[in-house]
Amino acid sequence: MLELLKTHFGYDAFLPMQEEVIGAVMAGQDCFVLMPTGGGKSLCYQLPAMALPGLTLVVSPLIALMKDQVDALEANGLPAAFINSTQTPDELRRVVRRIRSGEIKLLYVAPERVIEPMFADFLQTLDVSLVAIDEAHCVSEWGHEFRPAYRELANLRRVCPASPVIALTATATERVRADILSQLGLRQPGTYISSFNRPNLTYSVIPKENDLSGLLSVLGRHRGESAIIYCGSRKATEDMAQALSERGFVAEAYHAGLEAEDRRKIQDRFIRDQTPIVAATIAFGMGINKPDVRLVVHHDLPKSIESYYQETGRAGRDGLPSECVLYFSYGGKSRQEFFINQIEDDAERERARERLDQVISLCSLSSCRRKFVLEYLGEAWADQDCAGCDNCLQPREKYDATEIVQKVLSAVIRTGERFGAAHVIGVLRGSRGERILKQGHDQLSVYGIAASHSQNELRDLVEDLKREGFVSVGEGEYPTLAVTPRGREFLKNRETLMLSRRVAREERADTKGRRIRGDDGAYDAGLYNELAALRRAIADQRGIPAFMIFGNRTLQDMARKMPRTPAEFSRVSGVGRAKLEDLGEPFLDCINSYAKEHGMPETGSGDSRKSGNDRRAAEPSARADGHSYHETGRIISGGVSLEEAAATRGLSPQTILGHIERLVESGIPVEWAHLLPHLQRRAAIETVLEILSDNPLRPVFEELGGEYSYDEIRLVRLARRYPPQQGSRSSEEGERPDPRSMMGRRG
Ligand code: ADP
Ligand code: ZN
């Protein structure tokens, strides 16, 4: 199996649990596989599919993803196909012929089709070796993606009695698991449950501020990378996308109110790295199979811990470090409570309230957030310091809260225990709010005595006091604060109180270089950039997402091992037989010319760590170094042509163009208008781009009769998306921000 793993997928070892599952499947046993997103579930049936004699049938709920899944398999040289309603009768006939001839090893079908009697008849004429049921939680009404057709999949047993069934899901809840086992009729299945921890994700909760400055700096760390910002309403997604666009980010809104066609286009641009940021409602979800989402933000509170886990889970499927940021405000909490109070059904309302309480607990936690979430999902987690959440990375400190607590309690008493936290805090901070003045609370002795404390600090403190049992919240319509007997005792006896608070917010240097388990060490960041630009150019020409060419992990391994020959290239993780043949040449060319430019020896040792001299080695978790792009931007801004810049830098013109695209898309000033073809040529290209989609470029190239180069087309396309500013060079020169910091270099 290890040999097949390398040949077909390019990997040298199994991920945890894959080997056991595959062993069981090969032995003909039914299997139930629970692994988190990114755990490597697909391989559990794809590899057996290559080893078994007949066909592997894959039931998959998302028609929109089937083509991508099949494309990705074909890129690895695996004979796969799908059958769904998007095909013409002709295409369908062709697929059926390939299936009958035994050429196809993996067939993707939607559940509704599988249960049609005609399809069952068709299946009975085939040699089906294995049935895989992906996203198996769709069988459960308790899950969030129930599909009635899944209920009838148990019938497949009668149609293919000899084939083992493997059911896979990333859903962690107990009730859904039980449903899957009972509904799918698995026969004494081997059950494989791996940890739901996602070691490469970092979790943090940040107080929500009134402006976007905090969010902008988070996004700034991820310039040019894919990010999802979850917002609580359709309107909020649109406001967010607009606010970000005005501040120079490329962002779009996504919600269920958009036309299906528009939603598809937005998803597509996201997957193809044209729109890095999507501000979305939770409607943006299951169809997002993008492995390199580096940031998931919850700008409003998630509905439950499960949805938080699910939504943050869309970050970092490729196993590389990614960030999850949750914005919390007490105002947001009140808004949710307001909506919950509208729910008519008593039991339903109670459940919603419970779910919200759990989310609030997660937010106000001072211990490990990962531990909280995993334990909520039913997984025992002994580790106290996960090194990957804000509370573990930035511990809280104990402090003597006696004085400030006395002030807060006094303010509650002096205002008559008839007001909520917002009012009391306003009084403490000396606010000139209308209600405070009207009540004459500006005349109280407690007015303004805590002016040096921020609103959020005092909010946190009030929460602490509730937890300590010093204040209680009224039962009536408004959540008024009152001091409890325990609180009065505290004041009367002049007790002292120690509480904990976050150590002053200053980014700890060591949090950035955190190593993920299984990290393989340093790689050459400059080379990585070249390889990424090449990948981008090839992906654009073929009209497929960049990650289908090679994943980021594979590019990193290439930049680490620096293969110089096909034999060395095949040793890179993620390079199987098909990709070696298909892509080895351009990537080896790129590596060899980079090596020459940097004066590295002709033949690589196969490991850059032993041979590097002037190498800029990067921490594996660091973003690709912007240095090489910056250099290209500087040269191009000097007014030279692509070819001249290429000669100066010892790179290909295509790579130079790739740099410019990345710079322009990241909003970094670069003077490139002079590279555009002359007006007439430009107009001709624009006309075709107007009619045809601008991705892939091959149809555009062909429509233009081959008279215009890919470079020209790419430049015109770039200008359509990001019109260059002409003649602004001199005015901008002095105040150009440092592009390095804008590339989001960490640390
Ligand atoms: P899931 O379906 O569980 O979310 P995937 O099947 O998409 O996970 O796999 C996640 C990532 O891990 C993919 O990029 C895949 O190529 C990679 N992967 C799978 N198996 C291995 C392996 N044995 N070694 C290295 N990478 C792997
Ligand atoms: Zn932690």
Side-chain angles (χ1 to χ4, degrees), residues 432-742:
R432 307 216 41 89
E434 198 184 326
R435 215 148 78 98
I436 290 175
L437 300 183
K438 211 169 111 209
Q439 297 283 339
H441 286 167
D442 55 333
Q443 303 301 318
L444 297 174
S445 57
V446 290
Y447 181 75
I449 53 170
S452 63
H453 294 261
S454 75
Q455 182 122 347
N456 278 323
E457 258 175 87
L458 293 174
R459 285 275 187 182
D460 283 345
L461 192 65
V462 169
E463 289 302 307
D464 286 346
L465 292 182
K466 285 187 206 165
R467 249 197 317 275
E468 299 283 329
F470 282 31
V471 297
S472 60
V473 182
E475 290 292 316
E477 195 181 345
Y478 299 104
T480 53
L481 295 181
V483 177
T484 61
R486 172 78 191 89
R488 290 177 193 278
E489 215 171 282
F490 168 83
L491 285 175
K492 196 167 121 233
N493 300 344
R494 303 191 167 274
E495 294 174 36
T496 56
L497 179 66
M498 300 295 287
L499 289 176
S500 74
R501 67 181 167 204
R502 173 118 343 132
V503 177
R505 237 197 127 70
E506 186 186 309
E507 307 254 353
R508 245 170 52 176
D510 58 335
T511 65
K512 298 296 177 185
R514 188 164 61 94
R515 283 187 174 232
I516 307 302
R517 266 173 291 272
D519 242 348
D520 312 306
Y523 60 88
D524 187 310
L527 175 57
Y528 180 92
N529 281 338
E530 307 304 324
L531 296 170
L534 174 63
R535 171 178 69 177
R536 174 71 184 269
I538 296 175
D540 271 5
Q541 258 177 47
R542 297 186 182 185
I544 58 176
F547 62 78
M548 273 188 205
I549 301 288
F550 284 125
N552 290 355
R553 267 206 133 126
T554 298
L555 287 198
Q556 290 185 357
D557 202 39
M558 249 180 243
R560 182 179 303 121
K561 296 194 172 119
M562 288 206 181
R564 310 291 283 277
T565 64
E568 286 174 0
F569 192 75
S570 73
R571 268 179 238 131
V572 172
S573 171
V575 176
R577 195 174 52 197
K579 290 202 173 174
L580 170 66
E581 274 170 30
D582 181 22
L583 299 160
E585 205 176 293
F587 279 87
L588 280 170
D589 278 355
C590 177
I591 295 168
N592 281 317
S593 65
Y594 181 87
K596 208 157 100 200
E597 184 201 359
H598 290 85
M600 293 168 191
E602 272 297 308
T603 51
S605 63
D607 186 339
S608 72
R609 276 169 294 191
K610 297 186 201 104
S611 66
N613 34 25
D614 72 330
R615 189 119 354 108
R616 295 182 300 273
E619 278 299 303
S621 61
R623 286 266 322 287
D625 179 353
H627 179 76
S628 182
Y629 291 168
H630 175 40
E631 181 68 15
T632 299
R634 207 181 51 72
I635 294 173
I636 287 290
S637 294
V640 305
S641 70
L642 275 187
E643 288 69 25
E644 286 166 318
T648 311
R649 299 227 48 208
L651 300 168
S652 75
Q654 285 69 40
T655 304
I656 296 289
L657 186 44
H659 289 179
I660 294 167
E661 287 172 340
R662 277 287 288 269
L663 289 167
V664 170
E665 283 162 8
S666 309
I668 295 169
V670 45
E671 303 277 324
W672 65 281
H674 62 277
L675 301 176
L676 282 163
H678 290 298
L679 231 51
Q680 237 171 7
R681 294 183 73 78
R682 193 172 160 184
I685 295 172
E686 265 172 1
T687 313
V688 176
L689 282 174
E690 203 67 57
I691 304 163
L692 296 175
S693 142
D694 61 5
N695 207 332
L697 285 183
R698 185 170 286 166
V700 178
F701 179 81
E702 282 163 7
E703 181 66 29
L704 286 161
E707 292 186 16
Y708 297 80
S709 71
Y710 274 111
D711 291 354
E712 284 176 301
I713 301 172
R714 278 168 76 185
L715 283 162
V716 175
R717 176 179 64 175
L718 189 64
R720 273 163 55 92
R721 289 182 189 158
Y722 307 92
Q725 282 156 6
Q726 311 220 14
S728 60
R729 197 184 308 166
S730 51
S731 64
E732 254 181 38
E733 204 86 82
E735 49 199 319
R736 189 168 297 170
D738 176 14
R740 282 248 230 164
S741 65
M742 293 193 59

Side-chain angles (χ1 to χ4, degrees), residues 322-369:
S322 310
E323 205 179 344
C324 309
V325 178
L326 169 63
Y327 281 93
F328 174 63
S329 72
Y330 291 98
K333 178 190 168 202
S334 315
R335 199 170 44 248
Q336 292 268 11
E337 278 167 345
F338 173 81
F339 287 123
I340 289 172
N341 285 334
Q342 318 281 308
I343 300 176
E344 298 208 338
D345 184 84
D346 286 346
E348 180 58 29
R349 188 175 56 245
E350 208 35 55
R351 275 200 297 275
R353 190 166 289 150
E354 257 168 49
R355 286 196 292 264
L356 176 64
D357 283 348
Q358 293 291 339
V359 172
I360 303 298
S361 304
L362 169 69
C363 293
S364 14
L365 214 58
S366 57
S367 55
C368 179
R369 306 215 198 256

Side-chain angles (χ1 to χ4, degrees), residues 25 48-49 52-57 105 126-131 162-165:
V25 170
L52 291 165
L55 178 77
T56 291
L57 178 73
K105 300 295 291 180
L126 303 173
D127 172 19
V128 177
S129 293
L130 173 65
V131 174
S163 333
V165 174

Side-chain angles (χ1 to χ4, degrees), residues 368-370 386-387 389 392:
C368 179
R369 306 215 198 256
R370 184 181 307 270
C386 79
C389 79
C392 291

Side-chain angles (χ1 to χ4, degrees), residues 5 11 13-15 18 36-43 317:
L5 180 67
Y11 300 129
F14 287 108
L15 296 179
Q18 282 179 334
T37 306
K41 284 187 286 300
S42 334
L43 201 90
R317 290 181 83 122

Side-chain angles (χ1 to χ4, degrees), residues 236-346:
T237 65
E238 284 168 359
D239 293 346
M240 174 66 75
Q242 174 159 8
L244 294 177
S245 302
E246 281 163 8
R247 288 166 176 81
F249 289 89
V250 180
E252 288 192 89
Y254 182 104
H255 54 73
L258 298 172
E259 296 284 329
E261 176 65 9
D262 289 334
R263 274 182 301 177
R264 197 191 56 71
K265 281 186 182 156
I266 295 167
Q267 277 197 18
D268 215 49
R269 284 194 287 267
F270 182 67
I271 286 166
R272 287 160 205 270
D273 300 317
Q274 292 160 7
T275 301
I277 303 172
V278 172
T281 60
I282 49 174
F284 192 63
M286 203 176 168
I288 304 311
N289 221 338
K290 191 173 186 349
D292 52 358
V293 175
R294 292 276 82 90
L295 170 70
V296 169
V297 173
H298 281 89
H299 203 249
D300 292 308
L301 290 177
K303 292 266 176 301
S304 65
I305 302 288
E306 279 107 332
S307 27
Y308 174 72
Y309 177 80
Q310 189 99 29
E311 285 143 24
T312 53
R314 302 199 170 109
R317 290 181 83 122
D318 57 7
L320 293 171
S322 310
E323 205 179 344
C324 309
V325 178
L326 169 63
Y327 281 93
F328 174 63
S329 72
Y330 291 98
K333 178 190 168 202
S334 315
R335 199 170 44 248
Q336 292 268 11
E337 278 167 345
F338 173 81
F339 287 123
I340 289 172
N341 285 334
Q342 318 281 308
I343 300 176
E344 298 208 338
D345 184 84
D346 286 346

